mmCIF file of all heavy atoms in Angstrom:
data_model
loop_
_atom_site.group_PDB
_atom_site.id
_atom_site.type_symbol
_atom_site.label_atom_id
_atom_site.label_comp_id
_atom_site.label_asym_id
_atom_site.label_seq_id
_atom_site.Cartn_x
_atom_site.Cartn_y
_atom_site.Cartn_z
ATOM 1 N N GLY A 1108 9.142 -14.960 8.732
ATOM 2 C CA GLY A 1108 8.825 -14.322 7.414
ATOM 3 C C GLY A 1108 8.120 -12.995 7.606
ATOM 4 O O GLY A 1108 7.787 -12.571 8.783
ATOM 5 N N PRO A 1109 8.003 -12.282 6.461
ATOM 6 C CA PRO A 1109 8.324 -12.670 5.051
ATOM 7 C C PRO A 1109 9.799 -12.415 4.896
ATOM 8 O O PRO A 1109 10.531 -12.038 5.788
ATOM 9 C CB PRO A 1109 7.474 -11.620 4.243
ATOM 10 C CG PRO A 1109 7.393 -10.420 5.225
ATOM 11 C CD PRO A 1109 7.365 -10.904 6.584
ATOM 12 N N GLY A 1110 10.167 -12.609 3.583
ATOM 13 C CA GLY A 1110 11.569 -12.397 3.196
ATOM 14 C C GLY A 1110 12.017 -13.412 2.175
ATOM 15 O O GLY A 1110 11.150 -14.246 1.729
ATOM 16 N N SER A 1111 13.194 -13.284 1.707
ATOM 17 C CA SER A 1111 13.750 -14.216 0.686
ATOM 18 C C SER A 1111 13.605 -15.659 1.340
ATOM 19 O O SER A 1111 14.302 -15.927 2.412
ATOM 20 C CB SER A 1111 15.147 -13.933 0.399
ATOM 21 O OG SER A 1111 15.253 -12.651 -0.178
ATOM 22 N N TRP A 1112 12.885 -16.524 0.829
ATOM 23 C CA TRP A 1112 12.329 -17.658 1.507
ATOM 24 C C TRP A 1112 13.511 -18.674 1.855
ATOM 25 O O TRP A 1112 13.642 -19.056 3.003
ATOM 26 C CB TRP A 1112 11.231 -18.420 0.716
ATOM 27 C CG TRP A 1112 10.293 -19.196 1.517
ATOM 28 C CD1 TRP A 1112 10.036 -20.437 1.616
ATOM 29 C CD2 TRP A 1112 9.339 -18.479 2.470
ATOM 30 N NE1 TRP A 1112 8.993 -20.751 2.510
ATOM 31 C CE2 TRP A 1112 8.559 -19.636 3.067
ATOM 32 C CE3 TRP A 1112 9.073 -17.226 2.854
ATOM 33 C CZ2 TRP A 1112 7.535 -19.310 3.977
ATOM 34 C CZ3 TRP A 1112 8.090 -16.956 3.776
ATOM 35 C CH2 TRP A 1112 7.368 -17.935 4.339
ATOM 36 N N PHE A 1113 14.357 -18.957 0.829
ATOM 37 C CA PHE A 1113 15.417 -19.937 0.977
ATOM 38 C C PHE A 1113 16.684 -19.258 1.718
ATOM 39 O O PHE A 1113 17.455 -20.042 2.305
ATOM 40 C CB PHE A 1113 15.802 -20.518 -0.234
ATOM 41 C CG PHE A 1113 14.901 -21.498 -0.855
ATOM 42 C CD1 PHE A 1113 13.990 -21.267 -1.833
ATOM 43 C CD2 PHE A 1113 14.833 -22.841 -0.334
ATOM 44 C CE1 PHE A 1113 13.138 -22.178 -2.306
ATOM 45 C CE2 PHE A 1113 13.955 -23.791 -0.764
ATOM 46 C CZ PHE A 1113 13.069 -23.453 -1.778
ATOM 47 N N THR A 1114 16.831 -18.055 1.672
ATOM 48 C CA THR A 1114 18.076 -17.394 2.148
ATOM 49 C C THR A 1114 17.953 -16.530 3.334
ATOM 50 O O THR A 1114 18.889 -16.076 3.991
ATOM 51 C CB THR A 1114 18.710 -16.603 1.028
ATOM 52 O OG1 THR A 1114 17.824 -15.678 0.454
ATOM 53 C CG2 THR A 1114 19.214 -17.543 -0.100
ATOM 54 N N SER A 1115 16.629 -16.089 3.711
ATOM 55 C CA SER A 1115 16.414 -15.316 4.922
ATOM 56 C C SER A 1115 15.536 -16.008 5.908
ATOM 57 O O SER A 1115 15.660 -15.730 7.119
ATOM 58 C CB SER A 1115 15.861 -13.921 4.511
ATOM 59 O OG SER A 1115 16.812 -13.073 3.836
ATOM 60 N N VAL A 1116 14.552 -16.755 5.427
ATOM 61 C CA VAL A 1116 13.575 -17.352 6.399
ATOM 62 C C VAL A 1116 13.885 -18.725 6.750
ATOM 63 O O VAL A 1116 14.053 -18.978 8.012
ATOM 64 C CB VAL A 1116 12.202 -17.424 5.684
ATOM 65 C CG1 VAL A 1116 11.105 -17.983 6.606
ATOM 66 C CG2 VAL A 1116 11.752 -15.902 5.369
ATOM 67 N N LEU A 1117 14.125 -19.610 5.797
ATOM 68 C CA LEU A 1117 14.439 -21.026 6.124
ATOM 69 C C LEU A 1117 15.743 -21.203 6.961
ATOM 70 O O LEU A 1117 15.812 -22.202 7.722
ATOM 71 C CB LEU A 1117 14.503 -21.868 4.957
ATOM 72 C CG LEU A 1117 13.111 -22.064 4.121
ATOM 73 C CD1 LEU A 1117 13.357 -22.975 2.993
ATOM 74 C CD2 LEU A 1117 12.065 -22.590 4.966
ATOM 75 N N PRO A 1118 16.781 -20.478 6.727
ATOM 76 C CA PRO A 1118 17.989 -20.691 7.484
ATOM 77 C C PRO A 1118 17.835 -20.728 9.005
ATOM 78 O O PRO A 1118 18.643 -21.440 9.657
ATOM 79 C CB PRO A 1118 18.977 -19.444 7.060
ATOM 80 C CG PRO A 1118 18.500 -19.196 5.608
ATOM 81 C CD PRO A 1118 16.957 -19.404 5.681
ATOM 82 N N HIS A 1119 16.879 -19.995 9.593
ATOM 83 C CA HIS A 1119 16.617 -20.088 10.986
ATOM 84 C C HIS A 1119 16.268 -21.470 11.454
ATOM 85 O O HIS A 1119 16.486 -21.836 12.564
ATOM 86 C CB HIS A 1119 15.557 -19.090 11.379
ATOM 87 C CG HIS A 1119 15.933 -17.562 11.140
ATOM 88 N ND1 HIS A 1119 16.609 -16.933 12.109
ATOM 89 C CD2 HIS A 1119 15.783 -16.814 10.105
ATOM 90 C CE1 HIS A 1119 16.785 -15.618 11.630
ATOM 91 N NE2 HIS A 1119 16.307 -15.601 10.451
#
Side-chain angles (χ1 to χ4, degrees):
S1111 299
W1112 212 244
F1113 284 103
T1114 54
S1115 289
V1116 178
L1117 295 183
H1119 294 274

